[in-house]
Short mmCIF file of all heavy atoms in Angstrom, two decimals:
data_model
loop_
_atom_site.label_atom_id
_atom_site.label_comp_id
_atom_site.label_asym_id
_atom_site.label_seq_id
_atom_site.Cartn_x
_atom_site.Cartn_y
_atom_site.Cartn_z
N GLU A 157 -21.31 22.35 -2.57
CA GLU A 157 -20.45 22.00 -1.42
C GLU A 157 -19.01 22.53 -1.66
O GLU A 157 -18.71 23.05 -2.73
CB GLU A 157 -20.44 20.49 -1.21
CG GLU A 157 -21.78 19.99 -0.77
CD GLU A 157 -21.81 18.44 -0.62
OE1 GLU A 157 -20.85 17.78 -0.98
OE2 GLU A 157 -22.82 17.94 -0.04
N ALA A 158 -18.19 22.36 -0.67
CA ALA A 158 -16.79 22.83 -0.79
C ALA A 158 -16.04 22.04 -1.83
O ALA A 158 -16.31 20.84 -2.04
CB ALA A 158 -16.11 22.72 0.59
N ASN A 159 -15.12 22.68 -2.47
CA ASN A 159 -14.15 22.04 -3.43
C ASN A 159 -14.84 21.38 -4.65
O ASN A 159 -14.59 20.23 -4.95
CB ASN A 159 -13.35 20.97 -2.68
CG ASN A 159 -12.60 21.52 -1.50
OD1 ASN A 159 -11.79 22.43 -1.64
ND2 ASN A 159 -12.90 21.01 -0.34
N PRO A 160 -15.71 22.17 -5.34
CA PRO A 160 -16.26 21.61 -6.58
C PRO A 160 -15.15 21.27 -7.57
O PRO A 160 -14.17 21.95 -7.66
CB PRO A 160 -17.13 22.75 -7.13
CG PRO A 160 -16.69 23.99 -6.43
CD PRO A 160 -16.21 23.51 -5.10
N GLY A 161 -15.28 20.05 -8.18
CA GLY A 161 -14.23 19.59 -9.12
C GLY A 161 -14.65 19.78 -10.53
O GLY A 161 -14.46 20.80 -11.14
N ASP A 162 -15.25 18.73 -11.14
CA ASP A 162 -15.66 18.85 -12.54
C ASP A 162 -17.06 19.39 -12.59
O ASP A 162 -17.86 19.26 -11.68
CB ASP A 162 -15.61 17.43 -13.16
CG ASP A 162 -15.46 17.47 -14.66
OD1 ASP A 162 -15.25 18.55 -15.24
OD2 ASP A 162 -15.47 16.40 -15.27
N ILE A 163 -17.42 20.01 -13.72
CA ILE A 163 -18.77 20.46 -14.01
C ILE A 163 -19.10 20.12 -15.40
O ILE A 163 -18.33 20.38 -16.35
CB ILE A 163 -18.96 21.97 -13.69
CG1 ILE A 163 -20.39 22.40 -14.04
CG2 ILE A 163 -17.97 22.77 -14.52
CD1 ILE A 163 -20.75 23.81 -13.59
N VAL A 164 -20.25 19.43 -15.64
CA VAL A 164 -20.63 18.98 -16.97
C VAL A 164 -22.13 19.27 -17.10
O VAL A 164 -22.86 19.43 -16.17
CB VAL A 164 -20.33 17.46 -17.20
CG1 VAL A 164 -18.83 17.21 -17.18
CG2 VAL A 164 -21.03 16.63 -16.13
N ILE A 165 -22.56 19.35 -18.41
CA ILE A 165 -23.97 19.54 -18.70
C ILE A 165 -24.41 18.44 -19.63
O ILE A 165 -23.66 18.00 -20.52
CB ILE A 165 -24.22 20.92 -19.26
CG1 ILE A 165 -25.73 21.25 -19.37
CG2 ILE A 165 -23.50 21.13 -20.61
CD1 ILE A 165 -26.03 22.66 -19.73
N SER A 166 -25.65 17.94 -19.47
CA SER A 166 -26.09 16.88 -20.31
C SER A 166 -26.29 17.41 -21.77
O SER A 166 -26.42 18.61 -22.03
CB SER A 166 -27.46 16.37 -19.79
OG SER A 166 -28.44 17.40 -19.73
N GLU A 167 -26.25 16.49 -22.70
CA GLU A 167 -26.32 16.85 -24.11
C GLU A 167 -27.64 17.59 -24.44
O GLU A 167 -27.62 18.51 -25.30
CB GLU A 167 -26.23 15.60 -24.99
CG GLU A 167 -25.94 15.82 -26.43
CD GLU A 167 -25.80 14.51 -27.19
OE1 GLU A 167 -26.74 13.80 -27.32
OE2 GLU A 167 -24.63 14.24 -27.59
N ASP A 168 -28.71 17.31 -23.71
CA ASP A 168 -29.98 17.99 -23.98
C ASP A 168 -30.10 19.29 -23.20
O ASP A 168 -31.15 19.98 -23.30
CB ASP A 168 -31.15 17.05 -23.71
CG ASP A 168 -31.23 16.61 -22.22
OD1 ASP A 168 -30.46 17.13 -21.40
OD2 ASP A 168 -32.08 15.77 -21.92
N GLY A 169 -29.08 19.63 -22.40
CA GLY A 169 -29.12 20.89 -21.63
C GLY A 169 -29.99 20.94 -20.45
O GLY A 169 -30.19 22.01 -19.89
N ARG A 170 -30.47 19.82 -19.96
CA ARG A 170 -31.45 19.77 -18.86
C ARG A 170 -30.90 19.49 -17.52
O ARG A 170 -31.58 19.56 -16.51
CB ARG A 170 -32.60 18.82 -19.23
CG ARG A 170 -33.24 19.18 -20.52
CD ARG A 170 -34.34 18.19 -20.93
NE ARG A 170 -35.53 18.28 -20.01
CZ ARG A 170 -36.64 17.55 -20.22
NH1 ARG A 170 -36.71 16.71 -21.23
NH2 ARG A 170 -37.61 17.64 -19.33
N ARG A 171 -29.62 19.08 -17.47
CA ARG A 171 -28.97 18.82 -16.19
C ARG A 171 -27.55 19.36 -16.18
O ARG A 171 -26.77 19.16 -17.09
CB ARG A 171 -28.84 17.29 -15.93
CG ARG A 171 -30.10 16.57 -15.49
CD ARG A 171 -29.80 15.15 -15.09
NE ARG A 171 -30.99 14.43 -14.59
CZ ARG A 171 -31.75 13.67 -15.41
NH1 ARG A 171 -31.39 13.51 -16.65
NH2 ARG A 171 -32.79 13.05 -14.95
N VAL A 172 -27.21 20.12 -15.10
CA VAL A 172 -25.84 20.47 -14.84
C VAL A 172 -25.38 19.69 -13.63
O VAL A 172 -26.10 19.62 -12.60
CB VAL A 172 -25.71 21.96 -14.56
CG1 VAL A 172 -24.28 22.39 -14.09
CG2 VAL A 172 -26.05 22.80 -15.82
N VAL A 173 -24.23 19.03 -13.74
CA VAL A 173 -23.76 18.11 -12.69
C VAL A 173 -22.37 18.56 -12.22
O VAL A 173 -21.52 18.77 -13.04
CB VAL A 173 -23.76 16.61 -13.15
CG1 VAL A 173 -23.30 15.73 -12.05
CG2 VAL A 173 -25.18 16.25 -13.62
N VAL A 174 -22.19 18.64 -10.91
CA VAL A 174 -20.94 19.06 -10.32
C VAL A 174 -20.45 18.00 -9.35
O VAL A 174 -21.16 17.56 -8.45
CB VAL A 174 -21.13 20.41 -9.59
CG1 VAL A 174 -19.79 20.90 -9.05
CG2 VAL A 174 -21.71 21.48 -10.52
N SER A 175 -19.17 17.62 -9.49
CA SER A 175 -18.53 16.78 -8.47
C SER A 175 -17.80 17.59 -7.46
O SER A 175 -17.64 18.81 -7.63
CB SER A 175 -17.56 15.79 -9.18
OG SER A 175 -16.46 16.53 -9.73
N HIS A 176 -17.39 16.97 -6.37
CA HIS A 176 -16.68 17.70 -5.30
C HIS A 176 -15.42 16.92 -4.93
O HIS A 176 -15.47 15.81 -4.42
CB HIS A 176 -17.53 17.90 -4.07
CG HIS A 176 -18.75 18.75 -4.39
ND1 HIS A 176 -19.91 18.24 -4.82
CD2 HIS A 176 -18.92 20.11 -4.26
CE1 HIS A 176 -20.82 19.23 -5.00
NE2 HIS A 176 -20.18 20.41 -4.65
N PHE A 177 -14.30 17.50 -5.28
CA PHE A 177 -12.96 16.88 -5.02
C PHE A 177 -12.58 17.31 -3.59
O PHE A 177 -11.60 18.06 -3.39
CB PHE A 177 -11.99 17.36 -6.07
CG PHE A 177 -10.64 16.64 -6.04
CD1 PHE A 177 -10.57 15.30 -6.32
CD2 PHE A 177 -9.47 17.36 -5.76
CE1 PHE A 177 -9.35 14.68 -6.36
CE2 PHE A 177 -8.26 16.69 -5.77
CZ PHE A 177 -8.21 15.36 -6.06
N ASP A 178 -13.30 16.79 -2.60
CA ASP A 178 -13.20 17.30 -1.27
C ASP A 178 -12.28 16.42 -0.42
O ASP A 178 -12.72 15.46 0.31
CB ASP A 178 -14.58 17.30 -0.63
CG ASP A 178 -14.64 18.18 0.62
OD1 ASP A 178 -13.55 18.46 1.19
OD2 ASP A 178 -15.77 18.55 1.08
N LEU A 179 -10.96 16.67 -0.45
CA LEU A 179 -9.98 15.94 0.33
C LEU A 179 -10.12 16.30 1.81
O LEU A 179 -9.85 15.42 2.64
CB LEU A 179 -8.56 16.28 -0.20
CG LEU A 179 -8.30 15.72 -1.59
CD1 LEU A 179 -6.98 16.36 -2.07
CD2 LEU A 179 -8.23 14.21 -1.58
N LYS A 180 -10.55 17.49 2.15
CA LYS A 180 -10.68 17.86 3.54
C LYS A 180 -11.75 17.00 4.21
O LYS A 180 -11.56 16.51 5.35
CB LYS A 180 -11.07 19.32 3.65
CG LYS A 180 -11.07 19.82 5.12
CD LYS A 180 -11.41 21.28 5.16
CE LYS A 180 -11.25 21.83 6.62
NZ LYS A 180 -12.14 21.08 7.56
N ARG A 181 -12.85 16.72 3.50
CA ARG A 181 -13.87 15.81 4.06
C ARG A 181 -13.30 14.41 4.33
O ARG A 181 -13.64 13.81 5.32
CB ARG A 181 -15.03 15.72 3.06
CG ARG A 181 -16.22 14.91 3.57
CD ARG A 181 -17.21 14.65 2.44
NE ARG A 181 -17.87 15.85 2.07
CZ ARG A 181 -19.12 16.19 2.52
NH1 ARG A 181 -19.72 15.43 3.37
NH2 ARG A 181 -19.68 17.31 2.09
N VAL A 182 -12.47 13.97 3.48
CA VAL A 182 -11.83 12.63 3.64
C VAL A 182 -10.95 12.65 4.90
O VAL A 182 -11.01 11.74 5.72
CB VAL A 182 -10.98 12.23 2.41
CG1 VAL A 182 -10.24 10.94 2.66
CG2 VAL A 182 -11.86 12.10 1.20
N LEU A 183 -10.13 13.67 5.02
CA LEU A 183 -9.15 13.74 6.13
C LEU A 183 -9.85 14.03 7.48
O LEU A 183 -9.31 13.63 8.53
CB LEU A 183 -8.10 14.80 5.82
CG LEU A 183 -7.21 14.46 4.59
CD1 LEU A 183 -6.44 15.68 4.18
CD2 LEU A 183 -6.28 13.30 4.88
N ASP A 184 -10.98 14.69 7.42
CA ASP A 184 -11.71 14.99 8.68
C ASP A 184 -12.53 13.83 9.15
O ASP A 184 -13.10 13.92 10.29
CB ASP A 184 -12.66 16.21 8.43
CG ASP A 184 -11.94 17.51 8.34
OD1 ASP A 184 -10.70 17.56 8.65
OD2 ASP A 184 -12.53 18.55 7.96
N ASN A 185 -12.70 12.80 8.36
CA ASN A 185 -13.51 11.65 8.77
C ASN A 185 -12.79 10.32 8.63
O ASN A 185 -13.20 9.41 7.92
CB ASN A 185 -14.77 11.62 7.92
CG ASN A 185 -15.69 12.83 8.18
OD1 ASN A 185 -16.42 12.85 9.15
ND2 ASN A 185 -15.59 13.83 7.31
N PRO A 186 -11.67 10.17 9.33
CA PRO A 186 -10.93 8.91 9.24
C PRO A 186 -11.73 7.74 9.78
O PRO A 186 -12.34 7.83 10.84
CB PRO A 186 -9.68 9.17 10.07
CG PRO A 186 -10.10 10.22 11.04
CD PRO A 186 -11.05 11.09 10.31
N GLY A 187 -11.80 6.64 9.04
CA GLY A 187 -12.53 5.50 9.53
C GLY A 187 -13.99 5.49 9.24
O GLY A 187 -14.70 4.55 9.47
N ASP A 188 -14.50 6.60 8.72
CA ASP A 188 -15.96 6.74 8.45
C ASP A 188 -16.16 7.01 6.96
O ASP A 188 -16.21 8.17 6.54
CB ASP A 188 -16.57 7.84 9.29
CG ASP A 188 -18.12 7.86 9.22
OD1 ASP A 188 -18.65 7.25 8.29
OD2 ASP A 188 -18.74 8.47 10.09
N VAL A 189 -16.22 5.96 6.21
CA VAL A 189 -16.29 6.08 4.74
C VAL A 189 -17.51 6.89 4.27
O VAL A 189 -17.42 7.80 3.40
CB VAL A 189 -16.25 4.70 4.04
CG1 VAL A 189 -16.46 4.84 2.55
CG2 VAL A 189 -14.97 3.98 4.35
N GLU A 190 -18.65 6.63 4.87
CA GLU A 190 -19.87 7.31 4.45
C GLU A 190 -19.71 8.83 4.68
O GLU A 190 -20.13 9.62 3.83
CB GLU A 190 -21.08 6.76 5.19
CG GLU A 190 -21.42 5.34 4.84
CD GLU A 190 -21.83 5.21 3.37
OE1 GLU A 190 -22.40 6.14 2.80
OE2 GLU A 190 -21.52 4.16 2.83
N ALA A 191 -19.21 9.24 5.88
CA ALA A 191 -19.09 10.65 6.12
C ALA A 191 -18.00 11.27 5.23
O ALA A 191 -18.03 12.48 4.96
CB ALA A 191 -18.69 10.85 7.60
N ALA A 192 -17.02 10.47 4.82
CA ALA A 192 -15.94 10.97 3.99
C ALA A 192 -16.33 11.19 2.53
O ALA A 192 -15.59 11.91 1.78
CB ALA A 192 -14.70 10.08 4.10
N ARG A 193 -17.43 10.61 2.16
CA ARG A 193 -17.81 10.65 0.71
C ARG A 193 -18.45 12.05 0.38
O ARG A 193 -19.34 12.51 1.11
CB ARG A 193 -18.79 9.55 0.37
CG ARG A 193 -18.14 8.19 0.26
CD ARG A 193 -19.08 7.11 0.08
NE ARG A 193 -18.38 5.84 -0.21
CZ ARG A 193 -18.83 4.62 0.00
NH1 ARG A 193 -20.04 4.48 0.55
NH2 ARG A 193 -18.12 3.57 -0.31
N SER A 194 -17.99 12.62 -0.71
CA SER A 194 -18.60 13.87 -1.18
C SER A 194 -19.77 13.52 -2.08
O SER A 194 -19.98 12.41 -2.48
CB SER A 194 -17.53 14.71 -1.94
OG SER A 194 -17.06 14.00 -3.06
N SER A 195 -20.46 14.57 -2.50
CA SER A 195 -21.70 14.41 -3.28
C SER A 195 -21.55 14.92 -4.71
O SER A 195 -20.69 15.74 -5.02
CB SER A 195 -22.87 15.12 -2.59
OG SER A 195 -23.06 14.67 -1.27
N LEU A 196 -22.44 14.43 -5.53
CA LEU A 196 -22.73 15.13 -6.81
C LEU A 196 -23.83 16.10 -6.61
O LEU A 196 -24.89 15.76 -5.94
CB LEU A 196 -23.17 14.11 -7.88
CG LEU A 196 -22.19 13.20 -8.60
CD1 LEU A 196 -22.87 12.46 -9.74
CD2 LEU A 196 -21.00 13.99 -9.12
#
Side-chain angles (χ1 to χ4, degrees):
E157 294 179 349
N159 305 299
D162 204 5
I163 179 170
V164 293
I165 188 168
S166 59
E167 193 175 71
D168 63 7
R170 301 177 70 175
R171 284 189 178 94
V172 173
V173 180
V174 182
S175 65
H176 296 89
F177 190 64
D178 196 345
L179 292 169
K180 186 177 186 303
R181 182 191 291 263
V182 175
L183 296 167
D184 286 349
N185 293 281
D188 188 343
V189 173
E190 292 298 328
R193 285 174 172 155
S194 62
S195 300
L196 282 187

